[in-house]
Amino acid sequence: MMYDNPSLEAYLGVAGVITQADLPVVRAQGRLGEYAVVYRIYRNKQGGGFGDQSKHPYAWAVLVYVDGLLLRINSARGDCREWSTLDRAGQWLMNNGFSYWWTRNDLETASSEEENSADSAHLAADEPPPMK
């Protein structure tokens, strides 16, 4: 199943897209903002070792500021660039000259994963988690 992210991107104020290949050019021109935004999206691509969208419906995408406008990073093929983990997105950002970025997740609640964890149930009850 393919998802679109237009309403989320409208909410965030995304003005357009830029390819990752254009980043060095706009950085050299002094038009690239200092920080990026990593945000949660509905996954559009299958692959990357997590192709079951029912188990992994979300991915991470990156927004950058160019000339004060918020733009989504696209691949050279014109598709939204997606990362399966924050670690991978963070590594990509560092490799592309970003020292810091904001992270936002408007699609999941913080408690959704914690509710499924036995350890968090013990923490919520002020009990130590079981020894493993």
Side-chain angles (χ1 to χ4, degrees), residues 2-112:
M2 299 293 279
Y3 295 98
D4 286 326
N5 296 293
S7 60
L8 175 62
E9 291 181 354
Y11 171 75
L12 296 174
V14 178
V17 299
I18 186 170
T19 64
Q20 58 190 22
D22 292 331
L23 289 179
V25 174
V26 295
R27 185 181 303 279
Q29 294 170 343
R31 298 170 49 212
L32 187 62
E34 291 184 50
Y35 66 90
V37 178
V38 181
Y39 70 112
R40 201 66 158 152
I41 62 169
Y42 291 106
R43 194 162 59 97
N44 289 307
K45 304 239 177 303
Q46 290 190 359
F50 71 127
D52 185 351
Q53 282 186 297
S54 64
K55 291 182 183 176
H56 306 282
Y58 306 110
W60 295 98
V62 173
L63 302 170
V64 296
Y65 286 91
V66 177
D67 298 331
L69 299 173
L70 194 57
L71 305 179
R72 185 187 72 214
I73 297 290
N74 274 9
S75 69
R77 294 181 183 136
D79 296 324
C80 176
R81 183 78 162 81
E82 298 178 1
W83 290 266
S84 58
T85 68
L86 276 173
D87 289 339
R88 289 179 184 195
Q91 187 62 54
W92 183 89
L93 284 162
M94 287 188 290
N95 291 345
N96 283 275
F98 289 94
S99 299
Y100 58 97
W101 51 89
W102 297 100
T103 304
R104 62 181 299 151
N105 186 347
D106 297 295
L107 300 180
E108 299 172 290
T109 61
S111 62
S112 64

Side-chain angles (χ1 to χ4, degrees), residues 117-131:
S117 168
D119 291 348
S120 67
H122 288 285
L123 292 174
D126 291 330
E127 298 174 16
M131 297 298 286

